[in-house]
């Protein structure tokens, strides 16, 4: 009889990490610190998945194709269907950047590049700037306002709707589509909830497929984002309808869901650190760095992203089995002291080389530009309108959506404008 050389599986449970706990959602820092230092790679017995939390481990995993983005590699994924039996959601997912093999992923990235060119993005910048001014006009000059309901709930969906050509009277329809696209592939949600979300996406997919059909029928499909995707060509190669709609839905997810949290956490971070708020007003050239640092510092994720093990692997001393799921605990890595000294300090001048705020490797976030533009323009307008803003009662009377599917979603953050005090002082 020989002794086993297989290392014991490192395991945790809900007592160590419960992403649905109200205490965790309000204050995750001690939990993340424990995971990063003591359990950087561990099997979660209650969630039935691996949890990877440290910066260096996640950086390695994000660049390792054996950990697939395609949820069809999950052991509990729905059985594959013939193409003729698939609905619009299923066909778009199969054609998308998260489902295709690496070579096809590179092809799609190359073909979609013109849609993300500087001229196209500059037009989007101008459209978003107008929306942000309008949003702050709606706020006016009250003694206080709720940053969630007045900014975070409005700007992301309006911005992304403008980008993909959705009329303003369809914003509610569009918002529901964006939420359901995210929920439909969230493996942490019950099967029935995922299936309902998938069915609820179908009118949205049909809407965009109709738009694509209309654009193809024109002599020129247009110079905007959708037009560039329709016109994309490389040596006779082009995108089919489902590849185009998959890119649109990927941008929608990044530009609406993530950006909602960006707005609230950026305002919370800056107004909780007034010296940084003043510094950014004095040095607006720091804005791009500040956006990344505010996202890192806020660390709003609850169950950020997943990967799926495509083959049996020994990785970092642990045995990963084909089909198992992995929670990429990215927001824990954003505050990993081994990478970010004084991680709980907001420093908009911090060197952010090697950050994973927008991912890393082949699946670096496709909506990065849109999120940064939204955030930067919103902060500029906030500083312009309310240079002496504070959080009400020092914390904004902050509250959270404790049932949100993947984020520590702030749904109340009260801002004191101090406009009247400034008038009196003048």
């Amino acid at each position: 009889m020989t002794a086993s050389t297989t290392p014991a599986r490192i395991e945790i449970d809900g007592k160590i990490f419960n992403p649905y706990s109200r205490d965790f959602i309000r204050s995750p820092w001690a939990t993340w610190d424990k995971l990063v230092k003591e359990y950087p790679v561990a099997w979660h017995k209650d969630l039935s998945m691996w949890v990877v939390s440290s910066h260096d481990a996640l950086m390695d995993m994000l660049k390792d194709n054996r950990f697939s983005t395609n949820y069809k590699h999950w052991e509990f994924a729905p059985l594959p269907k013939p193409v003729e039996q698939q609905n619009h959601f299923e066909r778009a997912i199969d054609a998308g950047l998260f489902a295709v093999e690496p070579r096809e992923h590179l092809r799609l990235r190359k073909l979609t590049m013109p849609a993300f060119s500087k001229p196209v993005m500059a037009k989007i910048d101008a459209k978003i700037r107008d929306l942000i001014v309008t949003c702050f006009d709606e706020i006016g000059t009250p003694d206080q306002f709720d940053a969630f309901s007045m900014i975070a709930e409005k700007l992301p969906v309006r911005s992304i709707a403008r980008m993909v050509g959705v009329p303003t009277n369809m914003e509610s329809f569009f918002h529901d589509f964006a939420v359901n696209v995210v929920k439909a592939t969230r493996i942490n949600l019950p099967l029935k909830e995922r299936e309902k979300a998938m069915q609820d996406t179908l009118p949205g997919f049909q809407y965009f497929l109709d738009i694509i059909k209309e654009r193809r029928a024109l002599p020129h499909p247009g110079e905007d984002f959708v037009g560039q995707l329709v016109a994309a060509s490389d040596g006779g190669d082009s995108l089919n309808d489902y590849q185009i709609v998959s890119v649109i839905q990927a941008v929608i997810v990044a530009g609406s869901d993530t950006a909602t949290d960006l707005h609230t956490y950026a305002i919370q971070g800056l107004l909780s650190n007034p010296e940084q708020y003043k510094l950014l007003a004095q040095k607006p050239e720091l804005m791009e760095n500040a956006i990344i640092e505010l996202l890192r510092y806020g660390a709003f994720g609850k169950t950020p992203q997943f990967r799926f093990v495509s083959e049996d692997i020994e990785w970092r001393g642990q045995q990963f089995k084909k089909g198992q799921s992995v929670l990429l605990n990215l927001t824990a890595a954003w505050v990993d002291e081994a990478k970010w000294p004084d991680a709980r300090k907001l420093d908009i001048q911090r060197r952010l080389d090697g950050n994973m705020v927008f991912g890393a490797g082949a699946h670096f976030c496709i909506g990065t530009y849109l999120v940064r533009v939204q955030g930067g323009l919103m902060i500029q307008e906030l500083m312009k309108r309310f240079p002496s803003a504070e959080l009400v009662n020092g914390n904004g009377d902050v509250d959270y959506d404790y049932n949100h599917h993947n984020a520590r979603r702030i749904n109340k953050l009260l801002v004191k404008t101090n406009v009247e005090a400034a008038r009196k002082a003048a």
Side-chain angles (χ1 to χ4, degrees):
M1 183 174 181
T2 58
S4 173
T5 58
T6 303
R9 185 163 76 174
I10 296 173
E11 296 184 341
I12 58 175
D13 57 21
K15 292 179 181 178
I16 292 174
F17 174 46
N18 179 4
Y20 308 107
S21 156
R22 288 185 170 227
D23 289 340
F24 170 81
I25 291 167
R26 286 191 292 262
S27 183
W29 319 113
T31 298
W32 279 338
D33 192 53
K34 188 177 187 70
L35 288 173
V36 166
K37 291 178 179 176
E38 300 179 31
Y39 305 100
V41 180
W43 175 260
H44 199 298
K45 293 188 290 184
D46 295 329
L47 297 178
S48 297
M49 65 178 65
W50 292 94
V51 178
V52 180
S53 302
S54 68
H55 178 92
D56 66 319
L58 281 165
M59 184 62 82
D60 286 350
M61 181 168 280
L62 284 168
K63 296 177 180 179
D64 192 330
N65 288 332
R66 296 175 299 175
F67 297 100
S68 171
T69 57
N70 187 351
Y71 94 117
K72 291 195 172 182
H73 288 150
W74 183 35
E75 57 190 324
F76 302 114
L79 294 174
K81 298 178 183 178
V83 172
E84 60 272 15
Q85 294 179 19
Q86 291 181 330
N87 60 35
H88 291 324
F89 172 88
E90 291 162 337
R91 293 188 68 179
I93 291 297
D94 279 0
L97 292 164
F98 284 99
V100 296
E101 295 304 314
R103 182 176 293 181
E104 177 66 2
H105 183 274
L106 287 173
R107 170 187 167 266
L108 292 179
R109 282 275 189 174
K110 184 177 181 181
L111 281 167
T112 57
M113 280 177 62
F116 295 91
S117 66
K118 285 186 178 181
V120 175
M121 293 296 111
K123 291 178 182 177
I124 293 167
D125 188 317
K127 290 179 180 180
I128 293 174
R129 189 180 299 274
D130 174 58
L131 286 172
I132 288 171
V133 169
T134 300
C135 183
F136 276 87
D137 285 346
E138 291 171 358
I139 292 171
T141 56
D143 291 336
Q144 65 181 48
F145 67 90
D146 179 12
F148 174 73
S149 62
M150 296 303 293
I151 297 176
E153 256 194 330
K154 293 181 177 181
L155 276 180
V157 68
R158 289 180 182 179
S159 298
I160 197 70
R162 281 277 184 96
M163 179 176 178
V164 298
V166 174
T168 54
N169 63 352
M170 293 184 64
E171 284 179 0
S172 177
F173 167 86
F174 181 71
H175 174 267
D176 292 345
F177 173 69
V179 170
N180 286 314
V181 165
V182 176
K183 285 186 173 182
T185 54
R186 294 295 303 179
I187 66 167
N188 57 308
L189 297 179
L191 175 61
K192 286 186 178 180
E193 188 171 351
R194 294 200 310 272
E195 288 179 339
K196 182 181 185 304
M198 180 185 69
Q199 290 299 319
D200 289 344
T201 67
L202 299 182
F205 278 111
Q206 185 63 62
Y207 173 83
F208 287 112
L209 287 166
D210 289 344
I211 292 291
I212 294 165
K213 183 178 180 180
E214 290 173 8
R215 295 295 188 93
R216 289 197 189 281
L218 296 173
H220 189 282
E223 299 292 340
D224 63 356
F225 179 73
V226 174
Q228 290 290 333
L229 291 173
V230 172
S233 178
D234 180 50
D237 192 13
S238 61
L239 298 167
N240 67 37
D241 289 4
Y242 285 100
Q243 289 167 341
I244 292 172
V245 85
S246 75
V247 173
I248 292 172
Q249 66 92 12
V251 170
I252 287 169
V253 170
S256 59
D257 198 51
T258 302
T260 298
D261 299 304
L262 163 63
H263 291 305
T264 47
Y265 277 91
I267 292 170
Q268 183 190 53
L270 286 170
L271 299 189
S272 297
N273 297 272
E275 76 289 347
Q276 296 291 294
Y277 190 51
K278 291 176 183 176
L279 176 62
L280 187 55
Q282 293 164 0
K283 296 185 175 182
E285 67 271 16
L286 293 174
M287 184 63 75
E288 187 168 338
N289 204 70
I291 294 293
I292 299 172
E293 172 66 357
L294 284 161
L295 286 167
R296 185 206 66 78
Y297 171 83
F300 58 81
K302 181 167 66 178
T303 52
Q305 293 182 20
F306 300 100
R307 291 291 187 270
F308 307 96
V309 186
S310 63
E311 60 185 80
D312 290 348
I313 305 166
E314 181 177 341
W315 191 81
R316 296 212 164 210
Q318 298 294 296
Q319 302 294 324
F320 288 71
K321 298 297 183 184
K322 181 179 179 180
Q324 289 178 332
S325 56
V326 184
L327 170 60
L328 304 184
N329 201 9
L330 289 164
T331 36
W334 296 356
V335 289
D336 182 346
E337 292 278 347
K339 174 64 178 177
W340 310 111
D342 295 321
R344 291 301 305 132
K345 176 183 177 182
L346 178 69
D347 179 6
I348 63 172
Q349 298 183 94
R350 184 189 295 271
R351 289 198 58 165
L352 292 163
D353 301 346
N355 77 82
M356 294 186 291
V357 167
F358 292 105
H363 293 280
F364 187 79
C365 179
I366 198 170
T368 298
Y369 180 85
L370 185 61
V371 173
R372 288 179 178 178
V373 168
Q374 273 195 63
L377 292 175
M378 182 278 292
I379 292 169
Q380 286 175 13
E381 199 67 22
L382 179 74
M383 294 188 297
K384 175 184 173 182
R385 306 265 186 142
F386 310 119
S388 302
E390 302 173 291
L391 293 177
V392 169
N393 295 324
N395 67 356
D397 290 346
V398 65
D399 202 0
Y400 298 86
D401 175 358
Y402 294 102
N403 297 314
H404 193 267
H405 51 274
N406 71 339
R408 297 190 305 112
R409 172 68 48 90
I410 289 175
N411 64 6
K412 178 185 175 185
L413 186 69
L414 301 183
V415 175
K416 183 179 179 182
T417 66
N418 288 318
V419 170
E420 190 60 33
R423 284 176 185 155
K424 290 179 179 178

